[in-house]
Amino acid sequence: EVQLLQSGGGLAQPGGSLRVSCGASGFTFRNYAMTWVRQAPGKGLEWVSAISGSGGSTYYADSAKGRFTISRDNSKNTLYLQMNSLRAEDTAIYYCAKDRTAVAGGDFDYWGQGTLVTVSS
Amino acid sequence: IVMTQTPLSLSVTPGQPASMSCKSSQSLLNTDGKTYLYWYLQKPGQSPQLLFSEVSNRFSGVPDRFSGSGSGTDFTLKISRVEAEDVGIYYCMQSLQPGLFTFGPGTKVDIK
């Protein structure tokens, strides 16, 4: 059974940093691209970042470029999102999602449970 | 690419059909012949779930009362007979270019 178990997140001050993690099981992690999608309170879905199965290709939304870093450790079956220079508008539930191919294609067949990131002083 | 969805809200009587539209600001047909349009459903309090890939490929476990259609810039999701479990927000998403994915604003479906 495919499972994506998220951890991390919480409260950070504006300008601060946080890291969210996504532990994967039930599939060969290195064979699939992974992505992060967020949802601000009461708002719709916003794609944030994606990474290929090998980790050799990474992609970012304009809102995340220069501040967020996506990475993966295929030996630990874990996906990460390091968030720096946080702003109030980064407050959201962050979801990790598995792609159906090794390249970042937008075909997200499994999703994590979500983790809340709150940026506030 | 900008995605628009209509209507933004839909109230349906159980057993009746429902239809919602998704439009993209440019064609989602790639040179590989595939159209990179996806449908996701977010039920209340849950993570999103995949309904359709590449316009009309139903994901495993999705009931056949759901159907996806369209081409180019205009796409439609239909529910032939709405059930109570279908409530939630339906999002279309394009992925024409790697790493430049955009969701539509969503269509919220509830039961009358």
Side-chain angles (χ1 to χ4, degrees):
Chain A
E1 179 191 6
V2 172
Q3 289 193 329
L4 298 174
L5 187 60
Q6 297 182 224
S7 60
L11 178 64
Q13 292 192 335
S17 299
L18 274 177
R19 187 177 81 163
V20 290
S21 302
C22 174
S25 61
F27 64 101
T28 305
F29 184 65
R30 65 180 179 274
N31 288 351
Y32 297 93
M34 299 291 293
T35 210
W36 289 99
V37 172
R38 70 183 181 183
Q39 186 170 37
K43 302 296 185 182
L45 302 175
E46 179 189 13
W47 173 79
V48 175
S49 183
I51 187 168
S52 62
S54 67
S57 297
T58 57
Y59 309 90
Y60 298 93
D62 286 345
S63 59
K65 280 179 186 173
R67 300 188 302 125
F68 293 4
T69 302
I70 190 171
S71 63
R72 63 191 297 159
D73 186 335
N74 285 346
S75 68
K76 296 182 178 179
N77 291 346
T78 303
L79 173 73
Y80 304 100
L81 184 68
Q82 176 68 42
M83 299 179 286
N84 299 330
S85 303
L86 283 164
R87 307 165 179 164
E89 54 264 36
D90 296 319
T91 295
I93 295 173
Y94 286 72
Y95 296 99
C96 63
K98 170 189 168 291
D99 211 302
R100 294 174 82 181
T101 67
V103 297
D107 202 353
F108 311 136
D109 58 350
Y110 291 93
W111 294 67
Q113 82 277 19
T115 187
L116 179 62
V117 170
T118 302
V119 183
S120 175
S121 56
Chain B
I1 298 175
V2 178
M3 306 298 289
T4 57
Q5 291 184 246
T6 56
L8 295 181
S9 182
L10 195 54
S11 189
V12 188
T13 301
Q16 293 300 302
S19 180
M20 61 198 78
S21 172
C22 172
K23 296 183 187 295
S24 57
S25 60
Q26 67 184 72
S27 176
L28 301 182
L29 175 62
N30 199 357
T31 53
D32 62 7
K34 297 179 181 180
T35 300
Y36 289 90
L37 186 282
Y38 300 83
W39 288 98
Y40 294 91
L41 165 61
Q42 187 175 31
K43 295 184 178 182
Q46 295 186 19
S47 302
Q49 57 189 81
L50 177 64
L51 295 178
F52 290 94
S53 301
E54 295 170 16
V55 181
S56 59
N57 295 319
R58 190 181 295 107
F59 184 57
S60 175
V62 175
D64 61 8
R65 65 178 180 275
F66 289 89
S67 63
S69 63
S71 63
T73 61
D74 292 340
F75 306 94
T76 302
L77 177 68
K78 293 183 179 179
I79 310 173
S80 59
R81 298 173 305 279
V82 171
E83 297 186 6
E85 66 179 21
D86 300 336
V87 299
I89 303 176
Y90 291 78
Y91 295 94
C92 61
M93 192 203 79
Q94 70 80 23
S95 64
L96 183 64
Q97 296 173 276
L100 291 173
F101 308 151
T102 49
F103 288 92
T107 292
K108 184 175 183 179
V109 173
D110 63 25
I111 299 296
K112 280 183 181 176

